[in-house]
Amino acid sequence: GVHNGCMWFVSGSHKTPLRVHRPVKAGKHVMMTDLEESDQGKPHPVNAGGCTVHTGRTLHYTGGNSSSMPRRVYIINCRPADMVKEERRQNFDHGLAGLESIELKAKNAEEN
């Protein structure tokens, strides 16, 4: 639900010009843009096993998880091969940086 940090979408934003983006954190490839005062996002909670599908041109975001339940997500990002080549040329790691430490933590948790 909304308290679990569901997706919010700004209706019709995919029809507007592309906005200037910046990294969410220095040194990371995840990009963001600022919402304008006129941007009115609406929450779209989904039931367990459900999903949302949207174009990357749609302004979207999540809120924090203020519930006692974990929020689990699975993201599939489909884009043209030329875009992936350009992102890699710009040293985007597509989330791979630090993956070894996450895998090691998971392995240690399984062993204990």
Side-chain angles (χ1 to χ4, degrees):
V2 174
H3 299 293
N4 195 245
C6 71
M7 291 290 291
W8 290 62
F9 298 100
V10 177
S11 182
S13 58
H14 64 290
K15 298 176 185 176
T16 62
L18 187 63
R19 297 182 185 191
V20 174
H21 284 65
R22 60 182 162 76
V24 170
K25 281 185 169 180
K28 299 295 181 183
H29 75 276
V30 178
M31 305 296 279
M32 67 174 286
T33 189
D34 295 315
L35 293 176
E36 296 175 2
E37 197 171 314
S38 61
D39 295 328
Q40 297 296 316
K42 293 182 182 171
H44 290 273
V46 295
N47 294 326
C51 71
T52 64
V53 177
H54 64 277
T55 173
R57 293 290 305 256
T58 301
L59 293 176
H60 59 281
Y61 54 95
T62 62
N65 182 358
S66 60
S67 77
S68 61
M69 300 296 295
R71 175 179 66 189
R72 295 185 176 100
V73 299
Y74 186 75
I75 299 170
I76 299 173
N77 192 338
C78 302
R79 44 196 197 282
D82 286 345
M83 179 182 274
V84 174
K85 287 177 189 174
E86 175 60 18
E87 290 168 343
R88 291 192 177 148
R89 188 189 67 73
Q90 295 180 34
N91 296 318
F92 286 13
D93 66 11
H94 296 99
L96 297 177
L99 188 58
E100 293 85 11
S101 65
I102 294 169
E103 291 171 336
L104 182 59
K105 286 179 187 176
K107 182 178 179 185
N108 289 339
E110 288 175 4
E111 292 173 357
N112 293 326

